[in-house]
Amino acid sequence: MSIINRFLLLILSLTGLAVAGVVVAAATQVLPENVWLKQVHYFLPRPETLGVAAVMFLISLKLLLAVFKRTPKEKYSSKGEYVIDAGPKGEVRVALEAIRSLADRMAREVHGVRDARVKIKARNKAEGEASLSMDMDLTVGREADVSQVAATLTERLQSHLARTMGLTDVPINVVVSEVSDLQPEKKHRVV
């Protein structure tokens, strides 16, 4: 929901709460009948009342149309499998988690990388043109040349994906989010 729609919804909600409060007060006789009837007879013929009602109607109509508006979403997934090869005898699929894990391990092997977070985006042919891309968020040490780390990592990953899975031209977006002196955490496996 856009910020404009959120603001309009706020105005409409506050107005609805105020009107509901007045109706409850009138129904429970907290607000005497002669008081609210005088106010209704005073406000109804005024042009400002018509203007406010028209604005509230337009806001309500805009929000109602926003509910039914469909925005086309990209059919990318970060879960599931990616079809590497499809032929008349069957398909070869690789779990996206396996590709993500491989990229994560390879990133941590590059000199200067302290930590890596990898996100895979994939779309198979059934959902349109097949595509696969990786976003890598790295923490590197101060001694590392960031451009060299990114180039080395991208080259190694692309050559490994081409050699083992036959995937060529996989876009790899590298973002260095932090430069740190901390040593990488050693992940202990529980057996």
Side-chain angles (χ1 to χ4, degrees):
M1 182 181 277
S2 72
I3 190 73
I4 294 171
N5 286 348
R6 288 176 194 258
F7 179 71
L8 294 175
L9 185 60
L10 173 70
I11 291 172
L12 190 63
S13 299
L14 292 176
T15 305
L17 284 172
V19 170
V22 169
V23 168
V24 167
T28 58
Q29 298 298 321
V30 172
L31 192 61
E33 184 177 351
N34 62 352
V35 171
W36 66 265
L37 270 178
K38 271 188 204 174
Q39 294 300 323
V40 168
H41 287 298
Y42 174 75
F43 281 116
L44 280 181
R46 305 205 34 101
E48 295 88 7
T49 305
L50 184 61
V52 169
V55 167
M56 297 309 284
F57 176 78
L58 291 175
I59 289 174
S60 300
L61 186 63
K62 178 177 179 12
L63 291 174
L64 180 66
L65 293 175
V67 167
F68 296 109
K69 182 179 179 182
R70 293 183 141 220
T71 56
K73 292 187 177 179
E74 300 244 3
K75 295 183 179 181
Y76 285 101
S77 175
S78 60
K79 305 265 187 229
E81 300 170 335
Y82 185 72
V83 177
I84 292 178
D85 188 22
K89 295 183 179 182
E91 293 180 338
V92 177
R93 296 173 173 261
V94 175
L96 293 177
E97 181 59 30
I99 298 172
R100 191 203 66 73
S101 177
L102 171 76
D104 185 74
R105 275 184 281 139
M106 289 188 77
R108 292 172 193 273
E109 290 173 2
V110 174
H111 175 71
V113 174
R114 300 283 191 249
D115 190 22
R117 287 172 295 287
V118 180
K119 185 175 180 184
I120 303 283
K121 290 189 246 174
R123 181 172 60 188
N124 284 312
K125 287 187 180 182
E127 297 135 2
E129 186 178 334
S131 66
L132 179 73
S133 66
M134 287 185 208
D135 294 331
M136 304 194 77
D137 188 8
L138 302 178
T139 300
V140 297
R142 281 195 314 172
E143 77 283 354
D145 179 2
V146 174
S147 59
Q148 184 63 37
V149 167
T152 303
L153 177 59
T154 303
E155 180 186 322
R156 283 185 189 176
L157 263 173
Q158 286 181 342
S159 70
H160 191 75
L161 290 173
R163 187 176 66 250
T164 59
M165 298 179 203
L167 298 172
T168 57
D169 298 327
V170 175
I172 300 171
N173 304 313
V174 178
V175 175
V176 175
S177 61
E178 188 177 348
V179 177
S180 174
D181 285 335
L182 298 176
Q183 291 300 318
E185 281 185 28
K186 302 289 184 201
K187 293 187 177 181
H188 299 287
R189 294 179 64 177
V190 178
V191 182

